[in-house]
Amino acid sequence: MLQLNENWDSYGRSREFQVDGIVVDEDASNSLLIFTIAQQLMIDTSEKIIEIKYNVNEHCPPMEIRNDMGVRVYMETKKENKNLGSYPLCIIVRDFNMELSITNENTVAGSSGTLKLLDMPTSSVIEEYESIIITDSTPNFIEVGQVYQDKQTIATAMKHYSVMHKFQFRVKRSSSRSYWLLCVGENCTWHFKATSINDSVMFKVRHFNSQHTCSLMDNTFIQRKPTSMVVGSMVIPKYSDPKTIYTPKDIQIDMLSEHGVNLTYMQAWRAKEKALQFLRGHPADSYNKLPIKLKKTADECFLYAFVAICTSISGWKYCRPVVVVDGTFLKSAYRGIMLTSSTMNAASTILPLAYAVVDSENAHHGSGFLSNSNMHMIEEIDPRVKVYLYDIDYHRWSRVHATVNRTWTMTSNIAESLNAVTKYARELPIVELLEYMRTLLERWTKEKLLKAKCTFTYLGFKFNKELDDNKTLSHKLRVRASTDYIHTVLDGVRRYIICLENKRCSCGQFQLDELPCPHALTALRHRDESFEQYCSPYYTRKNLLRTYEIPVNPMPDESK
């Protein structure tokens, strides 16, 4: 509850006030509180000062909210009693110019009887802030009266303005409350001045003379050292997605066609480097930001970091226990290798299980972690492949002779697919790389859970299609029962023996795929029995839903 236009008696109690109300988040800042009050009461904070007080109890003088800590203290106090009428905020509105004169005369602001209470303005000036608070650092034009979200935004906007208009400025004064610029030209009348609104972080353009009385030369501007920094700040959005390819040549073309600025290749290259630095920071600093437990060498150098997200750990229980592990080289400043382990879910799509980053010098530590070297050899086109296959024994490359049932997983294709997705992310600093992997898992988990909920068959998509194809083939076969569980299926002149009790067929497909083959389906149709109990639970919709039942939680901003 707000109390405004009030008087305070000698006991610190408010008298003769009007009432209004606002809703503010518990973690609101002082500037947000002032802005919300000004919006509700229609106060132009460029001309008025808002003072906020409240009574804790009748035995203490009122407390004033002057900063973020004051807001936090008030919110904690308010938690004791959340009724609308408890601990109302007492609002005093003063003239901005009066505040300046009082401050200059070293008079204590807010002392009893020093200031005259002002009537509330009837015009809705605050609507200007609601509709035109500028958050973009590259506005199309700059004029008096514009309001920017903070000083950094308005400073970047002026650098952008100078590039577009091909001139240089110098900063005459810069503080938390003012930003004053002059042209570098001697005796030039161009000037710009902006100040903060009340005690908030917002800045308003107070004075701006855009006319130059000096001679501007493009050559002087183009040789200016900060050009790359300004252009770099303008092209930052081009690099927000690691997949985007935006070369220095592209920067040259766009700056010339869109802004009439002719850059050399080196200036464009430096602008790209500045943009990447703004966006990603220095690669070395990224290692210090790692929010996870990592392994270091004896001399405190990075050795490796390992990440396994809760979603993957939980989802692994509902997937076929066949893991594909692979390594790929990183392209960042400090190189290294990223190791990934993944499996297939009930829809036969990739479920990343864990990932690690190891430094190049210690990449051999991951050699025991990698088991696909034989498969890479198989993929090589070489006349000695046949000899090699005999030497390594059948169990390494034949599903029939394998000591572990690999079902459909016989190559590292899913790891290669994962590497393809992370191709451009491998150029990122380590923190950004790990965050890219986390957001990739976050997006995939959401998408695959949605697909799972839209699946209405007993099995996942791929396995249900495989089953349907087998059903089609089974209608061409004949069956002869030997016992309740053993059947002979005739496919032309060929005979196949099926044991439903052991879930085996002489063709080998039933037990290897863990899915009824055409011969098994023929026997099941003869027994008038359903196929469900003869399918691996790892292929079912139920397991697919449980794989993604735990979401990947979003991460807060780095500052948090």
Side-chain angles (χ1 to χ4, degrees), residues 105-139:
E105 294 171 5
N106 296 321
T107 305
V108 179
S111 58
S112 178
T114 303
L115 300 175
K116 177 183 178 182
L117 298 180
L118 303 175
D119 293 334
M120 304 303 297
T122 57
S123 61
S124 56
V125 181
I126 193 64
E127 291 179 3
E128 176 190 10
Y129 302 153
E130 293 179 8
S131 58
I132 62 165
I133 294 179
I134 299 174
T135 59
D136 181 18
S137 58
T138 58

Side-chain angles (χ1 to χ4, degrees), residues 17 49 62 169 176 189 193 204 224 291 310 336 341 355 450 464 467 477 480 489 504:
F17 52 82
I49 295 288
F169 62 73
S176 60
T189 59
K193 187 175 183 181
K204 182 176 182 178
R224 184 186 180 197
C310 182
S341 63
Y355 45 96
L450 182 61
N464 188 72
L467 189 69
L477 308 179
R480 182 175 67 241
V489 173
R504 300 183 67 85

Side-chain angles (χ1 to χ4, degrees), residues 109-235:
S111 58
S112 178
T114 303
L115 300 175
K116 177 183 178 182
L117 298 180
L118 303 175
D119 293 334
M120 304 303 297
T122 57
S123 61
S124 56
V125 181
I126 193 64
E127 291 179 3
E128 176 190 10
Y129 302 153
E130 293 179 8
S131 58
I132 62 165
I133 294 179
I134 299 174
T135 59
D136 181 18
S137 58
T138 58
N140 295 326
F141 62 92
I142 293 177
E143 63 182 5
V144 174
Q146 285 180 329
V147 177
Y148 289 77
Q149 65 176 354
D150 52 34
K151 181 184 175 182
Q152 181 179 356
T153 304
I154 200 171
T156 306
M158 290 309 298
K159 291 176 183 177
H160 174 265
Y161 181 88
S162 70
V163 171
M164 297 304 98
H165 292 80
K166 304 181 181 66
F167 76 98
Q168 303 175 43
F169 62 73
R170 59 186 175 91
V171 180
K172 182 176 182 180
R173 182 177 301 167
S174 178
S175 68
S176 60
R177 298 198 61 175
S178 67
Y179 187 58
W180 191 351
L181 308 176
L182 298 176
C183 178
V184 296
E186 187 175 356
N187 299 323
C188 182
T189 59
W190 186 96
H191 67 275
F192 172 89
K193 187 175 183 181
T195 60
S196 64
I197 298 176
N198 203 357
D199 291 325
S200 71
V201 296
M202 293 186 295
F203 265 63
K204 182 176 182 178
V205 181
R206 309 291 183 178
H207 304 284
F208 182 40
N209 181 0
S210 60
Q211 299 300 318
H212 289 269
T213 56
C214 64
S215 58
L216 301 176
M217 296 181 61
D218 287 356
N219 291 336
T220 302
F221 167 77
I222 219 61
Q223 294 172 2
R224 184 186 180 197
K225 188 176 180 180
T227 299
S228 60
M229 184 177 297
V230 177
V231 175
S233 66
M234 295 167 62
V235 298

Side-chain angles (χ1 to χ4, degrees), residues 11-23:
Y11 298 99
R13 294 174 297 190
S14 57
R15 296 286 185 266
E16 302 176 2
F17 52 82
Q18 301 172 19
V19 177
D20 210 317
I22 58 171
V23 175

Side-chain angles (χ1 to χ4, degrees), residues 487-499:
H487 296 72
T488 300
V489 173
L490 304 176
D491 183 3
V493 296
R494 293 184 179 180
R495 286 183 291 180
Y496 297 91
I497 310 301
I498 297 95
C499 178

